[in-house]
Structures are given as C-alpha cells and as structure tokens.
Amino acid sequence: MEMKSRKLHKIIGLTLVLPMLGWTLTGLVFFIKPGYQGAYEQLSVKHHPLSQGLNVTPKKNWQEVRLVNTILGAHLLVKSSHKVEHLDPVSLLDKPAPTNLQFKALLNDAFSDNQARYGDIVRVDGLSAQTSTGVKVTLDWHSLTLSQTGQDTELINLLYQVHYLQWTPFKGINQVLGIFGLLLLISLTVLGVRLYIKPRS
C-alpha cells in the first residue's frame, strides 16, 4: 500500500510540475507587479476650464448631469434611467462624433501627460487609434471616456490566464481544468502527509 502511495504521489507530482511552475512564476509577477502602472493606466480625456458660463435646465428624467470642457469645446453628459447621452450644451441635441482630426486632437491632448507611453498616432479607425508605441486607444463618445491597451497589458492578461488555468478558449473546459488541478494538488498534499506519518506509526 505504501509503494502504491509513493508511486501515485510521484505521478501526481510530475503531472503538476508545469502548472506549479506557472503558478509560482505568475504569482511572483502578480506580487511584484512590474509594469502594471503603465499597462493599466486610466487614460482620461483632459478637462479644461469652461471659457464661458452656460446655464442648463435639467429635464425631469435626468439623474446625473456633467458639464465639461475639452479641447473640442463644451460637452453635456447626461445619465437617465435608461441611457447615457452626450449632448450639445446649447442645443441639447446629440453632439456629433468627432472627425478624425478632432479625434486626434482629443487624443494628443490626453497623451500629453505621458507622451513616452503613447508616442504618436499612426492609424485611426473610427473611434479607435493605434499609436507608434503599440498602444490601442478607444473612445466611448457617449460617456467621453478613453480606454487603452498595449502589448504589456496583453502580456499580463496572458499571465492571468496561465495562472488560473484558462488554457483554452472554452470557459467550461477551463473550469474543469481548474477543478482537476485543485483536486490533484489536494491529493498530492494528502499523500505527502500520509507518507510522512505512516513510517512513524
């Protein structure tokens, strides 16, 4: 029985060599967090002081109202119970999406605080842009918010997938792998304790 336990302990240990290496190395990265600040930087549209006073009468269904000024002018951001609207503060009509030139101006203004990460805009596709440093930036015009992802972001996300055994594109299979890995780890621990205690009995 002891020989079988030792053999099983050895097989499970060999099976877990790669997952354990993955868990250890990725766990070390998550603990030290190298490059996290840039990879997950909260890029924001830069706000400027309002150049003129604007009086806006809120509607009854408006739950939240923000009046901001950017390099493109004034924006009225309204949140109601059903949607978020980006309005012109004078006409109260939907503010049209920016042209390519306006989009670039908005981005360059946002990049000015961290030019080293974003570099120059090399390509624009709708409300998404690619920079010379390999960062993709996307604008949500309705909420006037920016999101950014670079090669460092993709690498850290890949490490998370390795760490949590998300090795396939299929969620169900990944869950099975995770549960199976935990069961093997528990079995390895139980067998190890058993082999340690048994000779003493």
Side-chain angles (χ1 to χ4, degrees), residues 5 7 18 22 37 39 45-46 95 103-104 131 147 157 163 170 186 193:
S5 295
K7 187 176 181 180
L18 289 179
Q37 184 173 358
V45 172
K46 185 173 286 188
K95 197 172 181 70
F103 182 39
K104 288 181 179 180
T131 74
S147 59
N157 289 340
H163 187 80
F170 308 105
I186 293 171
V193 171

Side-chain angles (χ1 to χ4, degrees), residues 145-179:
T145 55
L146 294 170
S147 59
Q148 62 89 19
T149 178
Q151 295 175 350
D152 48 2
T153 317
E154 294 174 357
L155 176 59
I156 294 173
N157 289 340
L158 178 61
L159 293 178
Y160 270 102
Q161 291 177 333
V162 171
H163 187 80
Y164 292 106
L165 300 182
Q166 298 175 4
W167 296 351
T168 75
F170 308 105
K171 183 178 179 181
I173 295 177
N174 291 335
Q175 289 177 335
V176 171
L177 284 174
I179 294 171

Side-chain angles (χ1 to χ4, degrees), residues 1-71:
M1 186 67 179
E2 181 179 347
M3 289 298 295
K4 288 184 178 180
S5 295
R6 289 185 182 278
K7 187 176 181 180
L8 186 58
H9 187 269
K10 183 178 180 180
I11 293 173
I12 295 176
L14 290 174
T15 304
L16 288 175
V17 166
L18 289 179
M20 288 297 291
L21 282 174
W23 289 333
T24 302
L25 295 176
T26 52
L28 184 63
V29 171
F30 301 156
F31 180 74
I32 301 175
K33 291 182 169 38
Y36 268 55
Q37 184 173 358
Y40 296 107
E41 179 182 60
Q42 296 297 313
L43 181 64
S44 301
V45 172
K46 185 173 286 188
H47 294 176
H48 299 275
L50 288 165
S51 56
Q52 59 183 359
L54 291 171
N55 293 320
V56 177
T57 303
K59 296 182 180 179
K60 291 182 179 180
N61 64 327
W62 289 0
Q63 297 178 337
E64 183 180 326
V65 180
R66 286 197 303 137
L67 181 63
V68 299
N69 190 46
T70 71
I71 197 170

Side-chain angles (χ1 to χ4, degrees), residues 107-163:
L107 290 185
N108 285 325
D109 196 34
F111 294 167
S112 61
D113 289 334
N114 193 355
Q115 197 67 43
R117 173 166 178 79
Y118 299 103
D120 301 316
I121 300 170
V122 296
R123 187 172 68 254
V124 171
D125 182 13
L127 294 181
S128 294
Q130 193 77 27
T131 74
S132 57
T133 56
V135 178
K136 181 181 179 181
V137 183
T138 303
L139 170 67
D140 184 330
W141 182 242
H142 288 291
S143 60
L144 198 60
T145 55
L146 294 170
S147 59
Q148 62 89 19
T149 178
Q151 295 175 350
D152 48 2
T153 317
E154 294 174 357
L155 176 59
I156 294 173
N157 289 340
L158 178 61
L159 293 178
Y160 270 102
Q161 291 177 333
V162 171
H163 187 80

